Amino acid sequence: MEKYEVVIIGGGVGGLTLALSLARHNVKVLVIEKDKNPGKIYKGELLQPKSLLHFKELGIIDEIIKTSHELPVIHTYEMKEAKDGTVSESMYIPLQYNKLHTEFPAARMIPHERLKNIILREAEKHDSFHYWNPAAFQRFTDADEKKSLFHRALVTSRGEEVEIEADFYIGAEGRASIIRKALNQNQVTTQYNHHFLTVTFPRPADYTEAKMYASHKSFIGLFPLPDNEVRCVMLIKPGDYNRMKKEGLHTFTEPFSRFEPALKDYVTQIESWKEIQLMIPVRHNIHEYVKGNAAIIGDAAHTVHPMAGEGMNLAVQDGAILGDLLGWMYDTGKLDTANLKMFEKVRKKRADRLSLLSHFSALGYAWPFRWYQGGRKFALKRLERHPILHYKHMLNISGVGWWAYTPMDVIRFLGPPFLYLKPVFDRRSKRAIFKDKDDYPWRA
Ligand SMILES: Cc1cc2nc3c(=O)[nH]c(=O)nc-3n(C[C@H](O)[C@H](O)[C@H](O)COP(=O)(O)OP(=O)(O)OC[C@H]3O[C@@H](n4cnc5c(N)ncnc54)[C@H](O)[C@@H]3O)c2cc1C
């Protein structure tokens, strides 16, 4: 019987971040990952400032900065799209991370598997870190299900069955989570009226800025990666994917050439539909992340709409916070399972808020009508010009803090312009930024 202090099911970005944090606390941790080879599907690649702060604490920020691409601004364009397909700019809004008074006032793009590799290599430097790959978690073999106390579990690895024992089990296995089912957590699911197509293709060396283009009926996003590549997303209606595939690759590449002529000779380097991935957005929420001696993190606990680029960040931040809590529990000998609930107290509220923010960001682009684009333009303009609204938006999506939206914000959005032309807010403010006591209340 193999015995560990903490077993993590799933070596995705969330599970690995948690494992690195535990290894740094000298906790005997085992990560079970079923996929032998790096994942081929596209996943999150945009790191928000809060994730960067966690990676600094975990000692890998230099490597991440060296191998990622910085995005201090998301340039947002509202476009006029004529019947013949010609497009022209009708409004430009820069969403600026430098509104934030934080150590990393920018997002960073990094290939998903590269990030996982950096975390894994660092964790492997610690003797207390163990990694079984390929190995799949099957089921618990000894558990008091009423109390959600799980003792032993069965893992298959290279055709063999191995029984393991642990103090704590953490489900970090993504959307199809076995641990979530063991905790009897039913998901509340939100579906959307649109799908996305996504692919990475080459870019010119001087194409370095993130851009989002939206007309009344189209949406594309372009996010430069390091190594002269750019990750793109295109919003489509359900059913469009099959139609586009029948009509030919030009149905995908042509809108990019129209909205961003600088990439015309690059997007056409995509050779087949096999490179392009269909992404069906969905949102899942559950009531509890922790029960007994088990917890779930990342996509296992919450799936969010990808519009605001939060999914991967929620997984990283869950991993870092839970790692700190479990590390503290082992450091201080306070191993009572009730202490695990503190993870849920810190993280659930934050994940729910960002899930809602991602949901509303998605709704902003959900209907293909000119009047709907008009409403979005109005809201975006107010958001950019009013210092408090702009700060709140960047603060909230960055993860470094949370400033709740209030009825006064409705007045800021809808009220007369003199309300936002006045410089009423000091941009050096640290208002609503999380402090250590918010992130790690147990440390106090
Ligand atoms: C196309 C796409 C685009 C996205 N874009 C963004 C974005 O721009 N920004 C963003 O922040 N997020 C984005 N996301 C979301 C982001 O990728 C996820 O939220 C993030 O990967 C979740 O991390 P995780 O560690 O919780 O789960 P995962 O990354 O899903 O990792 C789970 C791991 O568990 C393993 N596993 C599963 N079951 C078992 C088992 N029984 N035994 C052992 N191992 C198991 C899996 O093989 C996998 O490696 C995107 C997702 C997709 C699919």
Side-chain angles (χ1 to χ4, degrees):
M1 171 82 57
E2 304 255 4
K3 170 116 180 58
Y4 297 89
E5 290 174 319
V6 179
V7 165
I8 301 168
I9 300 102
V13 74
L16 289 173
T17 305
L18 168 61
L20 171 57
S21 175
L22 289 173
R24 286 166 60 91
H25 282 273
N26 210 20
V27 173
K28 188 175 177 192
V29 56
L30 168 67
V31 175
I32 300 166
E33 170 52 50
K34 69 176 170 50
D35 286 345
K36 186 162 187 275
N37 298 314
K40 285 208 178 95
I41 64 163
Y42 288 107
K43 287 196 171 181
E45 306 195 309
L46 184 136
L47 285 172
Q48 298 283 3
K50 183 66 178 179
S51 303
L52 298 172
L53 288 170
H54 282 306
F55 287 135
K56 184 179 175 204
E57 287 213 349
L58 293 173
I60 51 174
I61 191 65
D62 292 345
E63 186 67 14
I64 287 173
I65 297 230
K66 214 166 44 190
T67 53
S68 61
H69 179 81
E70 186 181 51
L71 299 177
V73 184
I74 312 282
H75 302 276
T76 308
Y77 298 88
E78 289 293 332
M79 309 293 281
K80 272 192 204 133
E81 189 169 359
K83 277 200 180 127
D84 65 1
T86 51
V87 289
S88 55
E89 186 181 318
S90 72
M91 194 177 88
Y92 164 65
I93 302 286
L95 297 175
Q96 295 168 291
Y97 281 98
N98 72 4
K99 302 272 171 207
L100 302 177
H101 190 80
T102 177
E103 189 172 350
F104 304 107
R108 297 196 81 94
M109 287 292 287
I110 184 165
H112 191 84
E113 291 300 324
R114 182 182 296 176
L115 174 65
K116 278 168 60 181
N117 209 36
I118 293 173
I119 309 170
L120 178 60
R121 295 284 90 85
E122 185 66 22
E124 281 172 338
K125 291 180 187 165
H126 300 265
D127 292 340
S128 60
F129 173 79
H130 303 265
Y131 184 59
W132 288 2
N133 175 238
F137 180 92
Q138 299 298 337
R139 61 190 154 80
F140 289 111
T141 51
D142 178 5
D144 178 342
E145 282 177 17
K146 268 197 178 151
K147 291 188 182 154
S148 295
L149 288 174
F150 305 97
H151 307 297
R152 290 181 187 174
L154 193 70
V155 175
T156 47
S157 177
R158 299 174 199 272
E160 276 183 32
E161 290 193 337
V162 189
E163 208 173 13
I164 53 167
E165 194 177 328
D167 301 337
F168 296 97
Y169 288 91
I170 311 299
E173 38 342 17
R175 294 180 189 188
S177 166
I178 299 174
I179 307 298
R180 185 181 62 236
K181 283 182 199 126
L183 297 184
N184 281 320
Q185 289 300 301
N186 288 327
Q187 301 187 105
V188 180
T189 301
T190 314
Q191 288 173 327
Y192 294 90
N193 67 349
H194 53 265
H195 293 169
F196 283 96
L197 295 176
T198 185
V199 66
T200 293
F201 60 86
R203 64 169 167 91
D206 61 357
Y207 191 88
T208 54
E209 302 284 323
K211 296 182 185 177
M212 299 203 305
Y213 289 101
S215 72
H216 70 285
K217 59 174 186 175
S218 307
F219 172 88
I220 62 173
L222 292 151
F223 297 87
L225 278 157
D227 311 322
N228 294 341
E229 288 190 312
V230 58
R231 170 86 180 272
C232 73
V233 289
M234 175 194 279
L235 193 144
I236 57 167
K237 290 202 286 280
D240 274 2
Y241 179 54
N242 288 335
R243 177 188 57 77
M244 289 166 78
K245 267 169 82 175
K246 266 192 213 140
E247 286 177 17
L249 203 50
H250 69 278
T251 54
F252 180 77
T253 57
E254 184 270 336
F256 287 96
S257 307
R258 272 191 298 128
F259 280 87
E260 191 61 306
L263 292 178
K264 189 168 188 241
D265 295 337
Y266 293 83
V267 67
T268 45
Q269 290 178 33
I270 299 169
E271 284 176 354
S272 102
W273 280 103
K274 282 191 191 138
E275 296 170 45
I276 300 166
Q277 188 178 304
L278 174 68
M279 188 171 35
I280 300 176
V282 65
R283 176 174 173 232
H284 288 145
N285 294 87
I286 56 169
H287 292 298
E288 283 178 289
Y289 297 174
V290 175
K291 263 187 175 180
N293 65 339
I296 42 181
I297 66 169
D299 276 14
H302 39 66
T303 310
V304 302
H305 190 285
M307 184 61 88
E310 295 293 348
M312 174 172 78
N313 293 282
L314 291 180
V316 166
Q317 293 159 28
D318 283 353
I321 299 274
L322 181 57
D324 194 87
L325 171 61
L326 277 164
W328 170 84
M329 286 166 66
Y330 279 96
D331 288 345
T332 57
K334 295 184 176 159
L335 292 174
D336 187 338
T337 54
N339 287 326
L340 208 55
K341 271 281 177 192
M342 286 192 274
F343 162 68
E344 189 177 282
K345 243 183 153 175
V346 173
R347 286 298 303 162
K348 184 162 188 323
K349 203 165 43 178
R350 296 188 193 182
D352 284 349
R353 287 162 175 167
L354 280 163
S355 172
L356 202 61
L357 196 65
S358 303
H359 176 69
F360 283 123
S361 306
L363 294 189
Y365 296 90
W367 285 281
F369 303 113
R370 287 186 195 280
W371 61 264
Y372 199 74
Q373 184 189 22
R376 182 173 68 233
K377 280 167 67 175
F378 182 87
L380 274 171
K381 193 178 260 175
R382 288 289 166 100
L383 187 135
E384 188 223 359
R385 296 232 180 129
H386 196 296
I388 292 182
L389 292 177
H390 200 149
Y391 176 82
K392 263 193 191 186
H393 183 69
M394 297 319 287
L395 176 78
N396 293 348
I397 64 165
S398 74
V400 298
W402 182 265
W403 188 353
Y405 299 99
T406 63
M408 187 59 199
D409 292 329
V410 178
I411 297 171
R412 287 179 182 125
F413 265 118
L414 301 176
F418 70 83
L419 274 179
Y420 65 78
L421 288 176
K422 290 220 161 129
V424 289
F425 182 66
D426 175 5
R427 76 179 241 187
R428 284 163 301 150
S429 167
K430 283 191 172 182
R431 174 108 191 225
I433 288 186
F434 294 134
K435 302 192 175 69
D436 273 4
K437 69 176 172 49
D438 304 314
D439 286 345
Y440 314 109
W442 43 90
R443 285 187 189 173

